[in-house]
Amino acid sequence: MTYLERSVESAEKNAEFLLKYQITDPQSPDFGGYYNKGFGVVAENGGASAGTLIDLYFCPQSRYYRDPAVLRCADGLVCHLRNHLHEDGTVDYFCCNFHSAPDTAFVVLALAKPALLIDAQNAEEKAFRDNLFETLRRMKEALLHEGFHTPNHRWVICAALSLIHRLMPDPRCLARIGEYLAERIDCSEDGEYAERSAGGYNEINNRALLLLAENLQKPELLEHVRRNLNLMRAFIHSDCSIFTENSTRQDRGTAPYAEKYAYQYLLCGCALRDRELQKIGVLLLEDCIQNGRPFPLAVHDLRLYPEAFSELPEPADRSVFEVNRLVRGSGLLRLSRAGLNLWAVEKLPIFLFCRKNDIDFYIKGGINFFNCRHLLVENIHECPDGAYEMTYTGEGCYLQPFGEDQGTADWWQMDRGRRETSGHLSIAVTIRIIPSDGGFDIDVRTEGCPGSTIRFEIGVKPNVLVRGEGYHIPAAAGGRLIAQRGMLELFDGADTVTIGPAFAANDIVTGLFGAVPPSDGRFNIFFNDVTNFERRFSICAK
């Protein structure tokens, strides 16, 4: 089956839903729309779904090719959208954004690219095209005059304007795009966008810049996309899922699959004649197909850019995602050894994440010291000996009385910054990661105030057997184990990862008020000791 055939098959399933559930009662205020089960409403931006129907109606390979019922359904969706536009041309994203130009831009993107393939031959098709284009004209006014509230929205709005200008030229579109581009693209030298969203907004930014590069004839914009796609190798695991724990957006903590990036690897690779990017794109597509996940390429993309999806190279080997990368600007370290991937992240309670295929665990650093709760490490850097080092400093003190009336007895109204303090104490923690042939050695050294418990909570995904000296324990969600000595093995029936030697100076397994508790969804293994100490334990793949 060709990629186009797969894309058509996937789109036809969506069309079946729309044809079945579209509201066709002309007396209904929701006429032309459809009830979105996920949202629980007939969404005002649901007209974006007409893009899929346009794809199929004008695609000879589809069983819906020039099917009048599909054209009526698409026209109804556009009418519903048009009827729910505000006077300023904006649409609401019902759950949070109102009079939203960015959400209007997302709808424009969903409709305007398929519109490039409209071949209106009869009166009904011309009427539909005119209805669609008039709706796009009204939304254009929103994009020309209204604003945004997150960094990626700028490039989404620009991409939408570039498509509208391509369909119906208007110099105001180019002028507005120029105002945004004057701010320059928020892609660092490492290739990371401002929102640090590997599971979500990196892809949206890349998609927008690809459109801008094409529609504005600005190939220099492709270099931002190339940098990000090269960086993405440090976020993609060998099973093609994405590491998102350093994201600043809603994808954080999820594990989406990376086939959403296949389009970009293939299109950018084609435009830049970069076969390595194309190989990664093919790998992502083939992994998606092999595992039965929804096919990610749109019909209109395959038809608009056939050269990007033909004469493709063999897929890259999965070792392409075994990379070592320190992203200083984001406080992120990625290391790979023997199929074991490690991520270290600054300023988070969970500062280490490890995966070996389906064996998945993290390490949370806890400390009970004054108001300090977690080892929020900083300054990840490479050392001359090839190790990577990060540090944490916890501080505490006591307050002295003012000695005079502060004009109020309300504690919260007093200027606490003016209080003198005493009894200043601190703890410094240095953690070193030393790569080895089979994994990593973790060195921990503490200095400063003695007597404080520092613990490492190892949260294990509950799909393994935990094996130690004299015991085998199924890793049950919410379970807890204080490991006092010896090596631990995490075994999932195929792979084994060893951790240790374990250590435990006491039975403390939880932090004080305000600490992130042990996970109810993972099996929690605890190493701990009392300052001051030096410890080394290893994480290795067998």
Side-chain angles (χ1 to χ4, degrees):
M1 185 181 288
T2 67
Y3 288 161
L4 179 58
E5 289 170 338
R6 290 185 183 278
S7 184
V8 167
E9 180 182 69
S10 178
E12 286 176 345
K13 292 179 181 177
N14 292 332
E16 290 171 4
F17 170 84
L18 294 170
L19 288 165
K20 182 176 181 180
Y21 291 104
Q22 185 175 39
I23 299 168
T24 57
D25 178 4
Q27 303 304 314
S28 171
D30 293 319
F31 173 70
Y34 63 94
Y35 180 76
N36 188 309
K37 294 181 180 179
F39 291 160
V41 298
V42 179
E44 295 177 359
N45 60 354
S49 298
T52 298
L53 301 179
I54 297 169
D55 277 353
L56 297 174
Y57 184 85
F58 292 100
C59 178
Q61 290 83 357
S62 171
R63 60 186 168 95
Y64 290 124
Y65 179 56
R66 298 198 184 271
D67 182 333
V70 169
L71 188 65
R72 287 194 300 272
C73 185
D75 192 59
L77 284 163
V78 173
C79 286
H80 180 268
L81 171 65
R82 185 171 170 180
N83 291 337
H84 288 82
L85 292 178
H86 295 290
E87 288 187 6
D88 59 6
T90 57
V91 67
D92 290 342
Y93 182 42
F94 83 96
C95 63
C96 57
N97 299 335
F98 300 91
H99 290 261
S100 171
D103 290 287
T104 305
F106 280 114
V107 175
V108 169
L109 290 176
L111 295 174
K113 282 183 80 175
L116 296 170
L117 293 168
I118 291 178
D119 175 25
Q121 298 179 3
N122 57 41
E124 290 78 10
E125 292 169 357
K126 291 176 182 177
F128 169 74
R129 180 195 60 195
D130 293 345
N131 183 25
L132 174 62
F133 276 41
E134 179 57 30
T135 304
L136 291 172
R137 283 190 187 94
R138 287 188 56 189
M139 291 192 287
K140 174 182 67 175
E141 296 303 316
L143 307 185
L144 289 172
H145 301 293
E146 302 304 324
F148 65 96
H149 59 232
T150 60
N152 76 87
H153 287 167
R154 297 171 296 169
W155 317 131
V156 172
I157 289 171
C158 287
L161 283 170
S162 76
L163 278 171
I164 291 178
H165 179 71
R166 183 171 169 181
L167 289 167
M168 46 188 101
D170 182 340
R172 295 182 301 160
C173 293
L174 298 180
R176 184 63 162 169
I177 292 171
E179 291 176 1
Y180 280 110
L181 290 179
E183 299 183 9
R184 296 185 293 171
I185 308 300
D186 58 315
C187 184
S188 70
E189 291 187 7
D190 288 313
E192 187 144 48
Y193 294 105
E195 291 165 281
R196 300 180 185 176
S197 175
Y201 290 98
N202 283 3
E203 186 268 342
I204 287 172
N205 283 320
N206 288 341
R207 190 175 288 268
L209 293 180
L210 285 166
L211 278 170
L212 288 171
E214 175 190 9
N215 294 334
L216 303 182
Q217 297 184 354
K218 288 182 174 290
E220 63 271 20
L221 295 177
L222 295 177
E223 290 303 324
H224 301 292
V225 181
R226 189 211 298 261
R227 287 203 310 280
N228 182 259
L229 293 177
N230 282 328
L231 175 65
M232 280 301 301
R233 292 173 53 205
F235 290 86
I236 299 175
H237 186 57
S238 56
D239 69 349
C240 296
S241 62
I242 301 174
F243 176 81
T244 63
E245 296 292 345
N246 79 320
S247 173
T248 63
R249 297 304 306 274
Q250 62 265 37
D251 59 304
R252 179 175 169 182
T254 65
Y257 287 97
E259 59 261 16
K260 66 172 73 178
Y261 286 91
Y263 162 85
Q264 296 158 29
Y265 277 105
L266 292 172
L267 195 61
C268 189
C270 177
L272 296 175
R273 294 182 172 83
D274 188 327
R275 296 294 272 182
E276 296 307 312
L277 291 181
Q278 288 180 296
K279 289 179 181 179
I280 296 173
V282 176
L283 168 60
L284 297 178
L285 281 183
E286 292 301 317
D287 181 80
C288 171
I289 292 169
Q290 291 167 12
N291 289 282
R293 296 191 294 271
F295 192 70
L297 299 183
V299 172
H300 56 258
D301 286 327
L302 288 159
R303 295 187 64 208
L304 287 169
Y305 312 109
E307 69 282 358
F309 306 104
S310 59
E311 299 182 8
L312 294 173
E314 290 296 309
D317 186 82
R318 291 178 188 271
S319 61
V320 72
F321 300 131
E322 295 182 6
V323 299
N324 301 319
R325 185 78 183 262
L326 175 59
V327 189
R328 290 295 300 273
S330 300
L332 176 77
L333 171 67
R334 159 73 181 266
L335 298 172
S336 297
R337 289 293 187 278
L340 175 66
N341 294 323
L342 175 147
W343 293 267
V345 185
E346 292 182 355
K347 300 180 182 179
L348 292 180
I350 300 173
F351 70 96
L352 283 183
F353 300 82
C354 294
R355 281 191 65 181
K356 165 73 172 176
N357 295 326
D358 286 338
I359 299 177
D360 180 325
F361 61 97
Y362 60 68
I363 299 180
K364 183 195 306 174
I367 179 171
N368 293 353
F369 182 69
F370 286 85
N371 291 328
C372 304
R373 298 294 181 261
H374 294 288
L375 304 181
L376 305 177
V377 300
E378 297 183 280
N379 190 29
I380 300 176
H381 60 278
E382 187 173 10
C383 302
D385 62 358
Y388 293 86
E389 188 172 277
M390 58 203 78
T391 58
Y392 167 79
T393 300
E395 298 181 340
C397 65
Y398 296 94
L399 305 177
Q400 294 290 335
F402 282 117
E404 59 186 14
D405 187 277
Q406 298 300 299
T408 178
D410 187 335
W411 167 267
W412 306 110
Q413 295 297 318
M414 295 180 185
D415 184 359
R416 295 188 297 279
R418 294 180 54 248
R419 282 191 185 273
E420 294 184 3
T421 59
S422 62
H424 290 258
L425 298 168
S426 65
I427 291 176
V429 181
T430 301
I431 300 174
R432 284 169 52 87
I433 302 174
I434 304 102
S436 61
D437 289 341
F440 313 97
D441 292 327
I442 313 295
D443 278 357
V444 184
R445 184 180 74 253
T446 68
E447 301 173 286
C449 180
S452 176
T453 293
I454 290 178
R455 68 192 180 281
F456 297 97
E457 302 177 18
I458 305 171
V460 181
K461 185 177 177 181
N463 63 338
V464 301
L465 188 68
V466 181
R467 304 191 292 205
E469 293 184 5
Y471 62 85
H472 290 183
I473 301 175
R480 300 183 182 187
L481 169 68
I482 300 172
Q484 290 191 314
R485 63 178 180 273
M487 300 298 294
L488 303 173
E489 289 187 345
L490 308 181
F491 174 65
D492 73 346
D495 294 302
T496 301
V497 173
T498 63
I499 307 173
F503 51 92
N506 55 49
D507 294 336
I508 294 176
V509 296
T510 57
L512 302 176
F513 174 78
V516 179
S519 172
D520 290 332
R522 299 217 171 201
F523 183 77
N524 303 281
I525 302 170
F526 299 89
F527 294 2
N528 67 45
D529 205 339
V530 175
T531 57
N532 286 306
F533 64 86
E534 294 187 16
R535 294 281 191 177
R536 169 177 285 200
F537 61 95
S538 65
I539 302 171
C540 293
K542 289 182 66 176

